[in-house]
Amino acid sequence: MEVRLEPRGPLRGETEVPPDKSISHRAAILGSMAKGRTVATPFLRSLDCLSTVSCLRMLGVEIRLEGSALVVEGDGPESWREPTDVLDAGNSATTMRLLAGALAGRPFLSIISGDSSLRSRPMGRVVEPLRKMGAAIMGRDGDRLPPLAIRGGGLKGIEWNMEVESAQVKSAVLLAGLQAEGETTVRGGLAARDHTERMLSLMGAELSFIDDGVTVRPGTLQGREISIPGDISSAAFLLAAAVLVPGSHLILRRVGLNPTRAGFLSLLNTMGAMIAEYDYEEVDHEPRGTLEARHADLRGVAVDPERVPTMIDELPLLAVVATQAEGETVVRGAAELRVKESDRIAGVCGELRKMGARIEELPDGFVVRGPVRLRGAEVDPRGDHRIAMALAVAALVAEGTTTIRGWECTEVSFPGFLQLLETGLTR
Ligand code: S3P
């Protein structure tokens, strides 16, 4: 599906963004590993999260969508059954990597695969630690690529030093560790999102935090009610649009403000955006609050590579924002972007250049020189939801019409983004 976007007037009004995708996945998986009922509200009904739900159903978990909630009647991982077919994680690496960790503890065969994008994404990073814990696990291309075949059970706790700052790897090892004999320690990964650790302790797991990591002891999770905040990664598109389009004034309520996810917000402020944050509260171990953004003049920034994990999914959008900022914006230390849903460095640089951006590709990031007046063009987000939505924000400040191909990819994280942009806000 192709969408055509024109530059538009200011974004004005107040809205909520969809529930957090990372937390929704975790509520479904941890709820399915717990004993008792978990009710997670509101649950994100995007394709990625629905992939997680359908995999869990194939494992025999009683799990249903009721209104805006996800209800899981958990009976512990011991109740999971060998699936009779291949588990399909769709486009979602979170589904594949977190479930690989959980399935490493189960004494049956499961095979997990996904779409062509997911089948090209690195899995050695979860295969290695899970194998060290005792799971039999194999994949394509020397065990580096999906599909993964897992025959788990009989796990022993390990100490694992993370090579990449990845929340998905950290989570996979912790979910296996919960079912292992003895303690499991993950070192590193402190800057990567910590939703798994927060939800594990909410559900009664024995976790201890050490200087450079976290230790989990085997145990049983308790099902419970979980309130899910709005997704800051979805909010980011609206905030960026408000900051870029003159006359905008936007209020977003109950947005998740977990510090391991909020890097883009503070970066926008460093660039001059002055986004206000209020009504701060912590609910079910996750902070949330209201964000208020207005149009602002921005200046370029050099991103601290250590902060990259806290804004990893927002970097394609940062490239767009940087085209409108005065001076140079430099992103380095972000080579992980090349192994996301697409090669996001190549994708965002290639497509923004078609719109007239001055952007240079680096092996581990990019350099943008601004400000430039973007011009509408025909662009291809390469099947990647975050690039598609970043290009839609670019279209709002470009001269003429921008045509974005393959818009349907946005369904994996932010169904209704276009409608919200077009009609959901009062102008
Ligand atoms: C996610 C972790 C990040 C992020 C992805 C969601 C998660 O990936 O890019 O969109 O929910 O754990 P990595 O853990 O591979 O960095």
Side-chain angles (χ1 to χ4, degrees), residues 21-22 25-26 94 97-98 125 165-169 171 193 312-313 336 340-341 386:
K21 177 154 85 77
S22 291
H25 281 299
R26 285 156 173 81
T94 306
R97 295 194 179 117
L98 268 61
R125 52 183 68 188
E165 279 289 304
S166 162
Q168 295 173 355
V169 176
S171 302
R193 64 195 66 190
I312 187 74
D313 292 338
E336 273 294 299
K340 293 292 179 188
E341 284 84 330
R386 303 224 185 265

Side-chain angles (χ1 to χ4, degrees), residues 113-177:
S113 193
D115 69 9
S116 61
S117 150
L118 184 55
R119 279 183 277 113
S120 69
R121 296 184 63 184
M123 292 296 149
R125 52 183 68 188
V126 289
V127 169
E128 265 185 68
L130 298 176
R131 200 178 257 171
K132 190 169 172 209
M133 293 177 84
I137 171 162
M138 282 180 294
R140 232 168 16 97
D141 192 26
D143 305 327
R144 290 189 325 109
L145 295 175
L148 296 180
I150 304 166
R151 190 183 288 282
L155 301 183
K156 298 243 184 316
I158 57 165
E159 287 218 3
W160 188 252
N161 293 314
M162 299 252 297
E163 276 165 23
V164 276
E165 279 289 304
S166 162
Q168 295 173 355
V169 176
K170 177 170 62 169
S171 302
V173 178
L174 291 175
L175 297 185

Side-chain angles (χ1 to χ4, degrees), residues 224-277:
R224 54 162 295 151
E225 296 198 355
I226 300 171
S227 169
I228 302 181
D231 197 321
I232 193 166
S233 296
S234 297
F237 297 106
L238 296 173
L239 294 172
V243 169
L244 295 185
V245 178
S248 297
H249 179 201
L250 183 65
I251 295 175
L252 301 178
R253 301 216 179 272
R254 63 183 306 286
V255 181
L257 295 175
N258 181 315
T260 61
R261 296 285 301 283
F264 180 68
L265 202 60
S266 36
L267 192 77
L268 276 181
N269 284 337
T270 309
M271 295 174 84
M274 293 191 301
I275 294 168
E277 219 177 283

